[in-house]
Amino acid sequence: MSATEVCEIFLADENDTLKLGERFAQLISPPLIIWLEGDLGAGKTTFTRGFLNALGYNGAVKSPTYNIVETYPFKGFNLHHFDLYRFQNPEEWLDAGLDELITADSIILIEWPQLGGDLAPPADIILNITINGSGRTVQINAVTTNGTKTLNKITE
Ligand code: ADP
Ligand code: MG
């Protein structure tokens, strides 16, 4: 069977988006960088909430729009949830010293990665969520070998 590098999934409601996040969380291992693309209200933060819930975090998950990054410590790794929505220019990535957080034992989720330009760390996996009627369509692209391995587990 050939490796999955791209797939498209319909998410009928919020619960489907949470479940997809959960599924990722159950199958990943650090390091992994996931870009979350899609308009405001697409479901990027909802996906992140499902992901964090599956790792055992049950507190509030909000888009870290004002402080750019929210860090969640887990046993053996940190999960950094970025939101670059307020970036006026990609240099802000460097100004905020965010590169320091991109380590071999981190899971990175980035909302609005395109606002980081070339300075945002390159993705292993890109999720692009679009509104589709009352639900959402997510296109998942695996960009690296690590990403492809993860996506294969997701689609098994
Ligand atoms: P973003 O972070 O992309 O701006 P949020 O996750 O904060 O978006 O908000 C997405 C909104 O859409 C929430 O109100 C959520 O309940 C809803 N939502 C998430 N996934 C779906 C889905 N698959 N179908 C319909 N509504 C969804
Ligand atoms: Mg958000």
Side-chain angles (χ1 to χ4, degrees), residues 11-14 17 39-46 63 111 134-136:
L11 305 168
D13 54 23
E14 178 187 89
T17 306
D39 285 341
L40 275 182
K44 304 178 294 297
T45 302
T46 304
S63 246
E111 299 189 35
S134 62
R136 307 288 187 262

Side-chain angles (χ1 to χ4, degrees), residues 105-132:
D105 55 0
S106 300
I107 299 289
I108 311 285
L109 302 179
I110 311 180
E111 299 189 35
W112 298 97
Q114 62 273 31
L115 298 181
D118 290 343
L119 296 175
D124 293 298
I125 294 185
I126 302 174
L127 265 66
N128 189 291
I129 312 173
T130 49
I131 293 177
N132 183 348

Side-chain angles (χ1 to χ4, degrees), residues 52 55-58 69-81 105-107:
L52 284 163
L55 294 174
Y57 175 83
N58 292 309
V69 60
E70 199 71 54
T71 295
Y72 302 85
F74 293 102
K75 200 168 185 283
F77 67 97
N78 284 318
L79 186 149
H80 301 293
H81 176 208
D105 55 0
S106 300
I107 299 289

Side-chain angles (χ1 to χ4, degrees), residues 64-156:
T65 303
Y66 290 94
N67 35 1
I68 309 170
V69 60
E70 199 71 54
T71 295
Y72 302 85
F74 293 102
K75 200 168 185 283
F77 67 97
N78 284 318
L79 186 149
H80 301 293
H81 176 208
F82 294 91
D83 186 336
L84 310 187
Y85 185 63
R86 299 211 164 256
F87 269 25
Q88 302 282 346
N89 94 54
E91 299 294 322
E92 289 179 49
W93 180 273
L94 299 178
D95 297 345
L98 300 176
D99 264 340
E100 285 173 26
L101 300 177
I102 314 303
T103 62
D105 55 0
S106 300
I107 299 289
I108 311 285
L109 302 179
I110 311 180
E111 299 189 35
W112 298 97
Q114 62 273 31
L115 298 181
D118 290 343
L119 296 175
D124 293 298
I125 294 185
I126 302 174
L127 265 66
N128 189 291
I129 312 173
T130 49
I131 293 177
N132 183 348
S134 62
R136 307 288 187 262
T137 295
V138 59
Q139 193 183 75
I140 309 177
N141 279 275
V143 187
T144 61
T145 311
N146 189 15
T148 305
K149 274 190 211 148
T150 305
L151 187 55
N152 275 313
K153 289 191 240 168
I154 303 290
T155 53
E156 247 166 31

